[in-house]
Amino acid sequence: MYTNDSASDTVTLSLTVSSSSSDTVRMNQSVLQAFVKQYNSSVSAIADTAKNHPENLEALLQSLSEQVTYTKEVSLNKHNTNTYTQYFYNLMAMACLFTSLSGLYISLNNQGNLSAIGARRNISPVHKMKVIIAELFSNVIFQFICNLVSFAFIVLVLKIDLTYHLPLAILTVFVGCLTGTTMGFFVGSIGAFSEGTKQGILVSGSLLLCFLSGLMVGNMWIIVENTCPVINRISPAALISRAFYTLGIQDNLNQYYQCILTLVGISALFCLGGFLLTRRKRYASI
């Protein structure tokens, strides 16, 4: 609403808003009120200067024109992240989850009804848990080294910069390998399904998780976040790719540490579940 102040011969802008409990509406009203206040202040200053000090009017107008900036482009950090880099985040997540196949063989090789090696181990005097822990540890280290080679290939050969916060990026690869290996160990400990069946479950499951995290469709993570956000909170693929994404564009690493801690927690659950399922197996004859 415009009102004319006859005493000073200036036009004053006023704003009337309705009461609302919506936070969005209240925020918009606050922005409009700030605009009205600035507008009226500028008009008053121009009118007063034109009336009392006309020689300063040009300098005042120049000053006001330089101050009127309502938007400003702000970079999240010093890095310029390419849109397609997210596919490589998800590619690393897929590589980490495919280490589940090595975890599967750890489980199979400790079950007497599924492999000859498992039969021999079940009649050996060495405690089964010691063997499993040693195998899990060595497999995680081996898979970690293999995935570091993949990481180096992406960075050095393909020239995709994944080296922001390099120590934390390497930590992400390690935790991803840990999660993948323990996931395979857990799935391999379930039931007496054949090796091929369990391999199919792990491969198809890993690819599904990678699809939902954005490996095939770039905005799939956003779609899942808007429809069923709990998937993004517990999916290892989404957590690994999100950890890389956070390192690439954000200076605040709280979300990164949240992803890593969640992955460690999931790994612990997989490991505990695999131990419980494996130690319960007894054989009448091998």
Side-chain angles (χ1 to χ4, degrees):
M1 178 187 297
Y2 289 96
T3 59
N4 188 9
D5 188 349
S6 58
S8 60
D9 198 25
T10 60
V11 177
T12 302
L13 182 65
S14 62
L15 175 69
T16 303
V17 297
S18 59
S19 59
S20 173
S21 60
S22 172
D23 292 337
T24 303
V25 173
R26 286 200 299 268
M27 181 181 68
N28 293 336
Q29 292 174 354
S30 299
V31 172
L32 290 174
Q33 288 171 348
F35 173 80
V36 170
K37 182 178 180 180
Q38 181 180 358
Y39 173 83
N40 290 333
S41 177
S42 299
V43 169
S44 177
I46 292 173
D48 183 68
T49 302
K51 181 178 180 180
N52 300 317
H53 304 282
E55 67 279 4
N56 297 331
L57 183 59
E58 183 177 354
L60 175 64
L61 293 175
Q62 179 66 24
S63 176
L64 290 175
S65 65
E66 294 175 354
Q67 294 177 5
V68 179
T69 303
Y70 299 104
T71 61
K72 182 180 180 181
E73 183 177 353
V74 178
S75 177
L76 291 176
N77 65 359
K78 60 184 178 182
H79 309 308
N80 293 320
T81 303
N82 190 308
T83 304
Y84 294 100
T85 307
Q86 64 177 328
Y87 291 105
F88 290 92
Y89 298 151
N90 285 281
L91 187 63
M92 284 304 306
M94 184 184 71
C96 290
L97 289 189
F98 272 15
T99 63
S100 59
L101 295 176
S102 68
L104 169 65
Y105 287 110
I106 295 174
S107 177
L108 295 179
N109 289 336
N110 283 279
Q111 296 183 59
N113 60 331
L114 295 179
S115 68
I117 295 177
R120 289 195 293 270
R121 286 181 175 176
N122 275 273
I123 61 175
S124 69
V126 180
H127 197 282
K128 184 186 293 186
M129 290 300 103
K130 292 182 179 179
V131 175
I132 292 176
I133 291 174
E135 280 195 287
L136 281 174
F137 179 77
S138 59
N139 269 271
V140 169
I141 296 299
F142 177 75
Q143 295 297 333
F144 171 60
I145 294 173
C146 292
N147 277 278
L148 278 185
V149 175
S150 302
F151 182 84
F153 178 83
I154 292 174
V155 173
L156 300 177
V157 179
L158 301 182
K159 304 298 182 182
I160 305 299
D161 196 356
L162 305 180
T163 58
Y164 303 128
H165 303 284
L166 181 58
L168 295 180
I170 294 175
L171 174 63
T172 305
V173 177
F174 177 79
V175 175
C177 292
L178 174 65
T179 304
T181 303
T182 54
M183 180 175 72
F185 172 63
F186 174 72
V187 172
S189 302
I190 299 175
F193 303 108
S194 67
E195 176 183 333
T197 300
K198 293 182 178 180
Q199 283 181 341
I201 293 173
L202 286 173
V203 172
S204 58
S206 297
L207 289 176
L208 177 61
L209 293 177
C210 290
F211 169 75
L212 294 176
S213 69
L215 178 61
M216 294 78 173
V217 181
N219 64 340
M220 182 55 66
W221 188 92
I222 299 175
I223 296 174
V224 174
E225 183 70 16
N226 291 332
T227 55
C228 189
V230 67
I231 295 178
N232 288 336
R233 304 296 180 272
I234 62 175
S235 166
L239 292 169
I240 295 170
S241 62
R242 199 64 184 174
F244 279 115
Y245 179 83
T246 303
L247 292 178
I249 71 164
Q250 295 183 13
D251 289 326
N252 187 341
L253 299 181
N254 289 337
Q255 189 178 44
Y256 168 80
Y257 290 117
Q258 181 180 355
C259 292
I260 293 298
L261 291 176
T262 304
L263 286 169
V264 171
I266 292 174
S267 301
L269 291 176
F270 281 146
C271 200
L272 179 61
F275 284 152
L276 292 176
L277 292 173
T278 301
R279 69 186 295 270
R280 288 177 180 274
K281 289 183 170 62
R282 296 290 184 271
Y283 308 100
S285 175
I286 295 181

